[in-house]
Amino acid sequence: KCLIGAKGSTMNYDLVVLCHPKDYVKLEFCINSCLEFFNPKPEGIYIVSPDRVESDGLIHVHDDEAIAIKKGDINYRRPNWIYQQFIKLCQDFTKNDHYLCVDSDLIFNRAINLFDEEKPKFFISDRDQKHDPYFHFMEKAYGLSRQVDFTFINDFMMLDKTICRKIVPDVNEFLDFCNDNVSDDCLLSEFELYGNYVTKHHPHVYNIQKTKTQLNGKMANQPWSKEEINNLVKINSEKDIDLFTIHSWT
């Protein structure tokens, strides 16, 4: 049998963590939880951030050099948000075709099997949402309607470069389309786009697993301390949750 993205073992993958300066204090907790709970472990760990992260075993990618376009090329009023989605869909710095994108304000709480019989999994959050602007974008860009009755938006997703290249064959053309069409009524959601595209065009490539998430957050002007995060890790270790967030809202 042949799986899309086969390069050596289909279960080889890299970990990609995009990190904003407000989340630097959370990064070690995020990475440590990935290394503790992921099965299998990632081959490479890539940190995409504006400042160099010095740590054994981590590969730093400057966010301005992650892909062929720059944040300043994006016209929409929230360029940072759109740009990080472009990185997830268009990156080519990982060694493996499979790469797991994980938000840096996310901590895993128990074992996560990322593959099922060598198929990667979509992890489906227990926080459902249906944001129409995301589906307007999919329809306008790809003639793609919503394929499922749940959201693909989660705090982490396994992507495959070979599928991403079909979705975005040319990053500059995709940028032009977004600059001409993205608005508050027509918005890019990389995870909704990828999940619905795969469901329609490659329906047998992924399996699905539901996840239980605990939400935590506070305003960014009240930064998280390592002690607070450590305490939360300890408190949650006995709870029936797969992962929890430590958001800093702006």
Side-chain angles (χ1 to χ4, degrees):
K1 61 184 180 182
C2 177
L3 292 179
I4 282 186
K7 180 184 280 189
S9 167
T10 53
M11 291 172 61
N12 292 345
Y13 75 99
D14 296 304
L15 177 63
V16 176
V17 181
L18 278 65
C19 192
H20 187 276
K22 67 181 169 59
D23 296 323
Y24 286 165
V25 67
K26 309 166 189 175
L27 188 58
E28 67 177 288
F29 296 95
C30 173
I31 299 296
N32 287 344
S33 75
C34 293
L35 292 175
E36 180 177 359
F37 291 118
F38 284 170
N39 179 37
K41 308 301 181 203
E43 285 200 345
I45 302 174
Y46 297 80
I47 309 300
V48 184
S49 61
D51 306 295
R52 177 163 291 281
V53 176
E54 300 289 355
S55 184
D56 290 346
L58 303 185
I59 303 159
H60 180 255
V61 178
H62 196 283
D63 56 357
D64 279 343
E65 299 169 358
I67 54 175
I69 66 163
K70 309 291 185 194
K71 255 178 286 198
D73 297 329
I74 294 166
N75 292 341
Y76 184 61
R77 63 182 175 81
R78 295 175 63 192
N80 287 3
W81 178 55
I82 299 294
Y83 186 66
Q84 58 93 16
Q85 296 189 62
F86 266 70
I87 292 174
K88 291 175 186 173
L89 285 173
C90 305
Q91 72 81 20
D92 197 28
F93 50 74
T94 58
K95 172 188 166 186
N96 289 291
D97 281 346
H98 283 120
Y99 57 102
L100 185 72
C101 289
V102 173
D103 291 347
S104 56
D105 57 0
L106 184 65
I107 298 178
F108 292 89
N109 196 60
R110 60 186 174 198
I112 304 282
N113 294 315
L114 296 169
F115 296 85
D116 183 5
E117 297 178 347
E118 296 205 341
K119 287 186 181 184
K121 294 179 186 176
F122 282 127
F123 292 90
I124 306 305
S125 173
D126 47 2
R127 297 165 292 159
D128 194 25
Q129 61 171 299
K130 182 179 182 291
H131 194 49
D132 287 336
Y134 298 152
F135 304 109
H136 294 161
F137 180 93
M138 286 171 16
E139 189 68 51
K140 195 164 191 177
Y142 298 94
L144 178 63
S145 59
R146 192 181 194 216
Q147 302 294 305
V148 295
D149 61 356
F150 53 82
T151 182
F152 284 101
I153 295 173
N154 205 341
D155 303 281
F156 66 117
M157 180 181 272
M158 183 76 77
L159 295 101
D160 182 332
K161 281 188 204 176
T162 61
I163 296 176
C164 287
R165 294 299 169 271
K166 295 179 180 182
I167 297 172
V168 186
D170 186 301
V171 65
N172 288 294
E173 288 180 10
F174 191 59
L175 172 68
D176 289 342
F177 178 87
C178 288
N179 280 340
D180 288 342
N181 292 281
V182 166
S183 70
D184 289 350
D185 298 316
C186 180
L187 282 173
L188 172 63
S189 166
E190 80 283 44
F191 287 0
E192 290 286 27
L193 172 57
Y194 185 87
N196 282 281
Y197 184 94
V198 168
T199 302
K200 181 174 182 180
H201 297 290
H202 305 289
H204 306 298
V205 170
Y206 279 73
N207 285 334
I208 283 177
Q209 179 176 322
K210 292 183 178 179
T211 56
K212 293 182 179 180
T213 306
Q214 178 196 81
L215 295 178
N216 304 279
K218 52 184 178 172
M219 299 308 293
N221 61 6
Q222 300 172 297
W224 289 87
S225 69
K226 288 193 175 186
E227 184 181 17
E228 285 177 302
I229 300 171
N230 255 324
N231 287 338
L232 199 53
V233 169
K234 289 175 185 172
I235 291 166
N236 281 336
S237 63
E238 301 299 320
K239 292 189 178 175
D240 179 26
I241 53 173
D242 296 297
L243 51 126
F244 59 94
T245 65
I246 40 175
H247 293 316
S248 295
W249 297 309
T250 54

